[in-house]
Amino acid sequence: MKKWLWIFILCIGVSGIIFGIGKGNEQREVAKNEVNIDYVIKPKVALTFDDGPHPEYTPKLLDALKERGVKATFFLIGKNAKVHPEIVKRIADEGHVIGNHTMNHVEITKMADADAFLELDENRKLLEGITGMPVEYMRPPFGAWQKSLENKVNALPVLWSVDPLDWTTENTEEVVRRVIEEVEEDEIILLHDYYESSVEAAIRIVDILQAEGYDFVPIDELILG
């Protein structure tokens, strides 16, 4: 009798172990699936804006970006930032990256290095004074940059890979079309927050690309990965 009792207990124990192993494997598989679901890598693009801030169009753009959970990069002109420091502060406070676009939107390759440096340095000091944050990126107007300044300007030059030439037209849908047809993963999109049609195009572009699975990131996240 005791022999059969021990066999019965042993069988129950083995069954429990087998059941536990199966249950553990099942739980690990579920956990693995959950991780895979959560760890979906979206293609990234950077939305960048030049020439602001504008007193009407930049706040409208910021409202739309905040509503959609999008972070962008704003390359600001010093003479505009000086007049609208509250908008500059809002851009920084809402988590966007602020870059240097010179004090007066001049083509710095047509200036002496010393004058070009002053254009950038004056704007850097202005923007940092408003936001209390370092300005680590710059975009030379017209994309014209001289390498001789790289050791003097403590900022990374950032150009672009998608340019819909939005400043040449007020046709919002045309600007949207140009971007959507050209954009791919890791692109840097150039737009301007100084024109109403460009801001409207930017909002449409965000809606379309978000629906296609794109993730909009500030320039530092795209560059640094």
Side-chain angles (χ1 to χ4, degrees), residues 63-223:
D63 289 343
L65 296 179
K66 184 176 182 180
E67 181 181 344
R68 290 159 176 78
V70 168
K71 304 300 181 187
T73 304
F74 291 79
F75 292 96
L76 304 180
I77 296 176
K79 65 180 181 180
N80 295 333
K82 193 172 185 177
V83 180
H84 305 291
E86 74 286 353
I87 301 178
V88 177
K89 188 71 165 58
R90 180 185 171 185
I91 292 171
D93 289 346
E94 294 186 0
H96 305 287
V97 170
I98 289 178
N100 191 339
H101 202 43
T102 73
M103 195 69 190
N104 298 288
H105 200 269
V106 293
E107 189 170 345
I108 56 179
T109 55
K110 294 182 177 180
M111 308 172 68
D113 282 2
D115 294 331
F117 174 79
L118 287 177
E119 273 285 332
L120 291 164
D121 197 52
E122 184 180 358
N123 192 25
R124 176 190 64 79
K125 291 176 181 177
L126 172 69
L127 297 175
E128 291 181 351
I130 295 172
T131 66
M133 301 170 62
V135 177
E136 299 177 331
Y137 300 93
M138 62 84 62
R139 174 171 284 164
F142 314 104
W145 174 244
Q146 61 266 56
K147 293 184 70 66
S148 58
L149 283 177
E150 288 188 1
N151 293 329
K152 298 179 181 179
V153 177
N154 189 26
L156 183 66
V158 177
L159 299 182
W160 55 85
S161 55
V162 176
D163 181 6
L165 300 175
D166 58 308
W167 56 275
T168 66
T169 178
E170 294 183 357
N171 188 332
T172 298
E173 290 306 314
E174 177 63 17
V175 174
V176 173
R177 183 191 65 78
R178 291 173 184 175
V179 172
I180 298 303
E181 288 184 355
E182 189 176 347
V183 72
E184 295 179 357
E185 184 176 5
D186 295 332
E187 301 275 20
I188 300 175
I189 303 170
L190 168 62
L191 291 167
H192 298 77
D193 56 323
Y194 213 77
Y195 309 103
E196 183 176 19
S197 56
S198 296
V199 168
E200 291 174 352
I203 296 170
R204 288 272 295 120
I205 289 165
V206 168
D207 288 341
I208 292 171
L209 293 182
Q210 279 189 329
E212 293 182 3
Y214 280 87
D215 187 20
F216 288 89
V217 299
I219 199 67
D220 54 348
E221 187 171 335
L222 189 68
I223 291 175

